[in-house]
Amino acid sequence: MTPTQGFAAQSATTPLGPFTFERRVVGPTDVQFEILYCGVCHSDLHQVRNEWKGTIYPIVPGHEIVGRVTAVGAQVSKFKTGDLAAVGCLVDSCRDCDNCKRGLEQFCRNGAIGTYNGKDKHTGGVTYGGYSKQIVVDERFVLQVSDKLPLETVAPLLCAGITTYSPLRHWKVGKGHQVAVLGLGGLGHMAVKFAASFGAEVTVLSTSPQKEKDALGLGAHHFAMTKDPAQLKALANKFDFIIDTVSAPHDYSQYLKLLNTDGVMICVGIPPTPIEIAGFSLLNNRRSIAGSSIGGLPETQEMLDYCAAHNITSDVEIIEMAYINEAYERMLKGDVKYRFVIDMATL
Ligand code: NAP
Ligand code: ZN
Ligand code: ZN
């Protein structure tokens, strides 16, 4: 075991602070890498504060992890020391069920293992995430990263990127589609970039008027304020898809009404409490509501390769590790442009 420095929350109400824990030694199929940058996802905040229940403390969050390989096991073939590497939301799964065999490890029948707050079969304890100096992961769950893009802007692709890329690909979003992105945060800004890159006409629906200029700069074609009933009314029946990235409780029905015939509202945001839906907002226009969860390993690699080929990165604000508690407060206010990324040299 290797003592490893990290940052952890000890309870739902305590700020994150320094914490030392043990990582396993490098096994035959493992890759160990020094973490250089880690993105800050709203899911980190939900789980640190136990908003989804089931958080085990201390929790070391972080699942947008990039770095440089420091050691590989004897059977590792994809990586060598010195390579760039990345890990997203998953570090293991059964690899044997139908979903794992289809590359949908996030839906593993036997329970995918989260990068943090998951059951660590190697230590018998809990998995610890990327707010830390180094990580050891089986090579099947380690992604290859191009050296063409600035590394700090790649980190958020590992969750915000794949979570928005995957549903857009699944529903074959492209030219001729009207797409709305609800909520312009970490996930939202990546949804705008991907949807625009795939050829769709993109509208950002936001509670923050000051984000209009940014939205258009990110590739959106239109911007509307969700707090203005007149602006929403004007968009009734317009969209083929809505990607809902909102982290807090909100009224699904008012957005369903914006869907055109056979339109789909794809929920990727995970508000802590259930949300009511008015039947009529769903039946008219034969609308659907759907969900999507991150993405499997093959698709995550495909997304990273697409980003390298098309020069797509996340817009980031680099922070020091010690700034994390303030960053969480700013994230709650929607004050992020558009992803905090921790420079792990500051830990
Ligand atoms: P984020 O950066 O905080 O962005 C969320 C955005 O939602 C905010 O910037 C804000 O945009 C909008 N918003 C926040 N509170 C709102 C409210 N009360 N009413 C209306 N809009 C509000 O968060 P994120 O990291 O993108 O994550 C978004 C959600 O996705 C979280 O719930 C997270 O847990 C979830 N998530 C899901 C998956 C998955 O696999 N499905 C993966 C990662 C994250 P405006 O200022 O534009 O209104
Ligand atoms: Zn995430
Ligand atoms: Zn499985």
Side-chain angles (χ1 to χ4, degrees):
M1 301 287 259
T2 317
T4 301
Q5 274 179 283
F7 238 60
Q10 300 288 343
S11 83
T13 52
T14 45
L16 284 90
F19 172 67
T20 301
F21 61 94
E22 305 273 351
R23 294 268 191 218
R24 69 175 184 264
V25 295
V26 181
T29 59
D30 284 339
V31 174
Q32 178 185 51
F33 65 91
E34 180 195 7
I35 300 175
L36 297 174
Y37 296 100
C38 183
V40 178
C41 180
H42 207 114
S43 301
D44 300 348
L45 191 161
H46 286 307
Q47 287 177 85
V48 158
R49 299 193 179 174
N50 201 19
E51 289 175 356
W52 297 337
K53 310 297 171 208
T55 300
I56 299 161
Y57 296 94
I59 177 175
V60 177
H63 57 207
E64 294 182 336
I65 307 170
V66 292
R68 202 170 281 285
V69 175
T70 46
V72 296
Q75 291 165 29
V76 168
S77 59
K78 273 191 328 195
F79 295 91
K80 57 180 190 325
T81 302
D83 285 352
L84 295 176
V87 165
C89 301
L90 302 176
V91 290
D92 213 342
S93 70
C94 85
R95 308 167 195 203
D96 199 39
C97 71
D98 56 341
N99 277 337
C100 282
K101 284 183 173 153
R102 289 172 64 196
L104 296 172
E105 293 90 346
Q106 75 272 37
F107 304 132
C108 174
R109 306 284 177 196
N110 299 301
I113 308 299
T115 301
Y116 60 85
N117 206 46
K119 207 184 226 169
D120 190 331
K121 71 180 181 203
H122 302 273
T123 64
V126 68
T127 55
Y128 293 122
Y131 297 6
S132 60
K133 282 291 196 189
Q134 61 104 3
I135 193 164
V136 179
V137 178
D138 189 287
E139 83 165 320
R140 176 169 166 156
F141 290 81
V142 184
L143 286 310
Q144 287 168 314
V145 175
S146 157
D147 57 10
K148 287 202 196 98
L149 303 174
L151 195 59
E152 65 277 17
T153 68
V154 170
L157 302 178
L158 277 301
C159 178
I162 184 60
T163 301
T164 49
Y165 180 92
S166 181
L168 291 168
R169 284 304 200 204
H170 176 76
W171 274 277
K172 300 186 169 50
V173 172
K175 228 176 159 52
H177 285 137
Q178 291 286 345
V179 173
V181 174
L182 181 57
L184 193 64
L187 268 56
H189 94 292
M190 291 312 306
V192 170
K193 291 189 184 205
F194 286 130
S197 171
F198 299 165
E201 189 168 325
V202 182
T203 302
V204 167
L205 306 175
S206 175
T207 58
S208 309
Q210 72 280 8
K211 292 182 182 173
E212 176 164 7
K213 194 164 162 259
D214 292 343
L216 302 179
L218 291 163
H221 305 90
H222 316 280
F223 181 90
M225 284 294 300
T226 53
K227 284 179 181 159
D228 178 354
Q231 289 193 38
L232 278 192
K233 207 168 167 207
L235 297 173
N237 307 315
K238 179 180 170 82
F239 300 109
D240 300 298
F241 300 97
I242 298 172
I243 312 288
D244 180 348
T245 75
V246 174
S247 49
H250 56 291
D251 179 9
Y252 283 15
S253 305
Q254 90 170 350
Y255 301 109
L256 281 166
K257 289 180 200 158
L258 309 188
L259 288 173
N260 202 346
T261 310
D262 291 325
V264 186
M265 174 156 145
I266 304 161
C267 297
V268 290
I270 317 169
T273 48
I275 288 168
E276 286 183 358
I277 295 171
F280 281 108
S281 64
L282 203 49
L283 359 159
N284 191 33
N285 281 354
R286 197 164 51 201
R287 295 163 176 139
S288 315
I289 186 159
S292 189
S293 178
I294 49 173
L297 271 294
E299 194 174 43
T300 304
Q301 189 63 61
E302 175 193 306
M303 178 273 312
L304 288 170
D305 296 346
Y306 182 89
C307 288
H310 295 83
N311 206 23
I312 292 176
T313 55
S314 171
D315 290 27
V316 304
E317 178 177 337
I318 305 292
I319 61 168
E320 296 188 357
M321 188 67 256
Y323 186 75
I324 190 67
N325 296 298
E326 223 168 316
Y328 280 6
E329 292 310 315
R330 281 182 53 194
M331 188 152 67
L332 280 174
K333 291 187 218 142
D335 175 22
V336 191
K337 288 188 166 185
Y338 276 87
R339 197 60 142 185
F340 290 119
V341 170
I342 305 159
D343 176 355
M344 219 42 80
T346 65
L347 170 60

